[in-house]
Amino acid sequence: MFETLQTMPADAILGLIAEHRNDPRPEKIDLGVGVFRDAQGQTPILNSVKTAETRLLESQASKAYLGTAGAPEFNAAMQALTFADAVSGDRLVTIQTPGGSGSLRVAAGILLRARESVSVWVSEPTWANHVPLLGGAGLDLKPYPYYDTGNHVINVEAMIDALRAAPQGDVVLLHACCHNPSGIDPTEDEWRAIIDVIVERELLPFIDMAYQGFARGVDEDAFAIRELARRVPELIVCNSCSKNFGLYRDRVGSVSFLAADPATRDTVDSQVNNYVRTIYSMPPDHGAAVVGMILGDAELRAEWVGEVDAMRERLESMRVLLNDALIERNPARDFSHLVRANGMFCFLGVTPDEVRQLKQDYGVYMVDSSRINVAGITEQNVGYLADAIAAVVG
Ligand SMILES: Cc1ncc(COP(=O)(O)O)c(C=O)c1O
């Protein structure tokens, strides 16, 4: 059987991590891997998470099965965190999933249960794993223009034109905030114009929110979702708690479906739970129990919001630091998009050759597209990093 299989190419990011690990140069910098890092270069466990874990250890009395939808407290809390009061709860189904990736996979499965063939418009570019994950699940992916690489802005007009030409009923994948890989998000006015065309063309919004709290704030980052929920009959939201709760390896996420009316909501609910049973049966519990406890406890919740704010502020200040250091070294070259971007990622805006040179000559690691994770920058390494970039871009 297995002799028919062909070896797959190694994952580009995992390869980069290994190369960085094996690089003996002490000044090396990793801007590739997609996790938050603090000023000491660590990916810490949040204090709110530690407290909730301690309480759980003492209070949890059973590890018996929870069921296909996971924990009801977690689901209710995630629904509120996502939608607030934008829409009536009797039109919403929210279930716990294994991470944001699991939620995207469940959403894909439900779309394909609803319709035999589904076209999903995705931003050009989009998160590298959207394509194999959603395309591999059987969705037909089509690109819409998004990032203008030369000017480091969103080409909103081209995006809107493409959506206007999309057949009625097609699905459009949107990044709620912190667009991965570009970091450049629509303004509120741009969102309204995008939503107008979604309403006009009767497209189904499919929103990926992997970085709630990392752009402007926990509530502010749900702006597009809440605006859409007020204006469309149906939508899907995929949440990840990997980044904003730092629960990467615990695999915590949720998927929400907004249905046109409560009766359809009940049907979707039955389909989603039935579908989950046919794939992973039930989601992992621990991380979601932690999130449910944090969001359900006023004090822990306030501490968590403060911790998310601190992560966001660190990312913002590292962007400013790098831009300032580059202005000092090369005032003729505009890197101001670094500061306009949100979240962990943005494009540095250098060529693949320059990316290679940064790695070979300076031990600065990033993916070929020059997407960088600004969480890899510290006050200690920013001078060296800016020297390296300035030397390479000439
Ligand atoms: C845009 C986007 N969506 C979804 C995910 C999935 O996150 P996870 O499955 O780790 O929760 C990520 C993770 O990097 C992401 O960047």
Side-chain angles (χ1 to χ4, degrees), residues 68 95 104-120 137-139 171 204 236 257 266-281:
T68 46
I95 67 153
L104 289 162
R105 186 60 183 74
V106 171
I110 295 302
L111 285 168
L112 287 164
R113 277 194 172 185
R115 248 192 275 145
E116 207 174 305
S117 148
V118 181
S119 294
V120 180
L139 297 172
V171 177
L204 176 76
I236 303 173
F257 298 84
D266 292 347
T267 306
V268 174
D269 189 29
S270 73
Q271 281 285 345
V272 172
N273 283 284
N274 173 274
Y275 182 65
V276 162
R277 189 79 175 128
T278 68
I279 42 177
Y280 55 81
S281 187

Side-chain angles (χ1 to χ4, degrees), residues 53-344:
E53 284 186 315
T54 308
R55 285 190 200 165
L56 256 187
L57 190 66
E58 274 155 19
S59 64
Q60 200 166 44
S62 174
K63 296 272 187 193
Y65 291 126
L66 266 182
T68 46
E73 306 78 29
F74 168 83
N75 293 333
M78 289 303 291
Q79 193 175 98
L81 193 68
T82 307
F83 295 95
D85 56 3
V87 71
S88 164
D90 62 4
R91 286 175 52 210
L92 281 169
V93 177
T94 301
I95 67 153
Q96 179 182 323
T97 56
S101 302
S103 72
L104 289 162
R105 186 60 183 74
V106 171
I110 295 302
L111 285 168
L112 287 164
R113 277 194 172 185
R115 248 192 275 145
E116 207 174 305
S117 148
V118 181
S119 294
V120 180
W121 295 84
V122 300
S123 65
E124 176 55 46
T126 194
W127 177 42
N129 211 28
H130 274 150
V131 177
L133 198 162
L134 300 174
L139 297 172
D140 180 20
L141 303 186
K142 296 177 172 165
Y144 62 78
Y146 187 81
Y147 194 63
D148 172 346
T149 315
N151 298 308
H152 297 293
V153 292
I154 309 174
N155 196 342
V156 183
E157 268 174 38
M159 172 181 176
I160 287 177
D161 286 347
L163 296 184
R164 188 163 284 125
Q168 185 187 33
D170 273 9
V171 177
V172 53
L173 184 71
L174 301 161
H175 299 223
C177 61
C178 307
H179 179 266
N180 184 1
S182 75
I184 306 286
D185 296 323
T187 62
E188 290 197 357
D189 281 345
E190 288 171 342
W191 269 123
R192 287 192 189 94
I194 293 164
I195 293 169
D196 282 346
V197 75
I198 287 173
V199 171
E200 177 193 313
R201 294 300 309 151
E202 296 180 25
L203 304 173
L204 176 76
F206 178 7
I207 309 146
D208 187 357
M209 181 152 65
Y211 301 93
Q212 186 173 7
F214 274 29
R216 293 188 296 149
V218 169
D219 270 315
E220 292 85 343
D221 290 353
F223 169 81
I225 292 174
R226 294 174 190 174
E227 203 65 15
L228 275 160
R230 288 186 195 101
R231 295 192 55 194
V232 299
E234 297 179 329
L235 59 71
I236 303 173
V237 179
C238 294
N239 295 74
S240 166
C241 301
S242 299
K243 314 287 161 41
N244 55 3
F245 285 87
L247 285 165
Y248 307 87
R249 67 174 67 161
D250 282 322
R251 312 308 299 137
V252 197
S254 63
V255 59
S256 296
F257 298 84
L258 176 68
D261 53 66
T264 315
R265 178 249 169 244
D266 292 347
T267 306
V268 174
D269 189 29
S270 73
Q271 281 285 345
V272 172
N273 283 284
N274 173 274
Y275 182 65
V276 162
R277 189 79 175 128
T278 68
I279 42 177
Y280 55 81
S281 187
M282 295 176 201
D285 169 64
H286 177 77
V290 167
V291 171
M293 184 173 281
I294 292 173
L295 294 178
D297 177 296
E299 222 172 284
L300 276 183
R301 187 189 181 103
E303 184 177 18
W304 169 71
V305 169
E307 292 184 291
V308 175
D309 290 347
M311 287 194 276
R312 181 181 66 251
E313 282 157 17
R314 173 170 147 66
L315 297 172
E316 284 166 1
S317 65
M318 290 306 109
R319 290 175 179 286
V320 171
L321 220 55
L322 179 58
N323 186 42
D324 287 352
L326 287 168
I327 290 171
E328 252 175 50
R329 287 157 179 82
N330 189 347
R333 174 91 178 234
D334 180 14
F335 281 100
S336 62
H337 63 283
L338 291 173
V339 181
R340 290 199 310 275
N342 289 321
M344 299 205 301

